[in-house]
Amino acid sequence: MMKKAILNVFAMTGITLVVLSLVALCYNASFLCLETVFQALGLNLLIYLGIMFINTIEFRFYLLETGLKLVYSIALVLIAGKIFGWYQNLSAPVLGGMALVILLLCGYLDMLSLRNEIKEINDLIGEK
């Protein structure tokens, strides 16, 4: 469980840095600050921990749970933008849009991983 959590945080950070680099290219930026890498890692750790906590709560409606995860994550990104001074280079809507794209990509990868696990379980059941 811990190994998967660490892997997910680092994967999310990697996706974050790729999306950030693509947005930076649109703004004709030529580099990313090293501190931004660690800020993104810390932020992604907080997002992941919060989502894990939200997962422990049983919701009657899936959309409510998903909406809460999105609002939590995007709010945390916008707050981090204020704390780390990201608004000097990006607007809040761009930062929020980036967060949404990153969350969608991570959700898609989680779905693929879950699908593969289900396939493996079905194959093991079929062998018996």
Side-chain angles (χ1 to χ4, degrees):
M1 180 74 171
M2 186 67 153
K3 182 179 175 183
K4 184 176 180 180
I6 292 170
L7 184 65
N8 284 344
V9 169
F10 279 114
M12 188 175 183
T13 302
I15 291 170
T16 299
L17 294 176
V18 170
V19 170
L20 181 59
S21 296
L22 291 172
V23 170
L25 279 175
C26 294
Y27 282 89
N28 294 322
S30 58
F31 66 91
L32 286 176
C33 294
L34 187 58
E35 65 188 19
T36 305
V37 174
F38 295 106
Q39 291 168 354
L41 177 62
L43 176 60
N44 287 328
L45 180 62
L46 288 176
I47 289 171
Y48 192 80
L49 290 173
I51 288 175
M52 283 178 52
F53 175 74
I54 292 170
N55 285 338
T56 64
I57 302 169
E58 291 195 28
F59 290 90
R60 290 181 62 156
F61 303 104
Y62 174 75
L63 288 179
L64 178 64
E65 179 181 352
T66 302
L68 182 60
K69 289 176 186 177
L70 285 173
V71 168
Y72 165 76
S73 300
I74 292 174
L76 206 55
V77 167
L78 294 176
I79 291 168
K82 182 74 171 161
I83 292 170
F84 296 130
W86 295 341
Y87 295 124
Q88 296 170 4
N89 302 314
L90 293 172
S91 66
V94 171
L95 194 57
M98 282 176 49
L100 186 59
V101 167
I102 292 164
L103 291 169
L104 289 173
L105 287 171
C106 290
Y108 178 73
L109 290 177
D110 277 345
M111 185 179 63
L112 287 178
S113 174
L114 185 61
R115 197 169 121 197
N116 286 338
E117 288 176 18
I118 291 170
K119 185 179 181 305
E120 287 176 12
I121 291 169
N122 285 337
D123 288 345
L124 288 173
I125 292 172
E127 289 176 4
K128 290 185 179 191

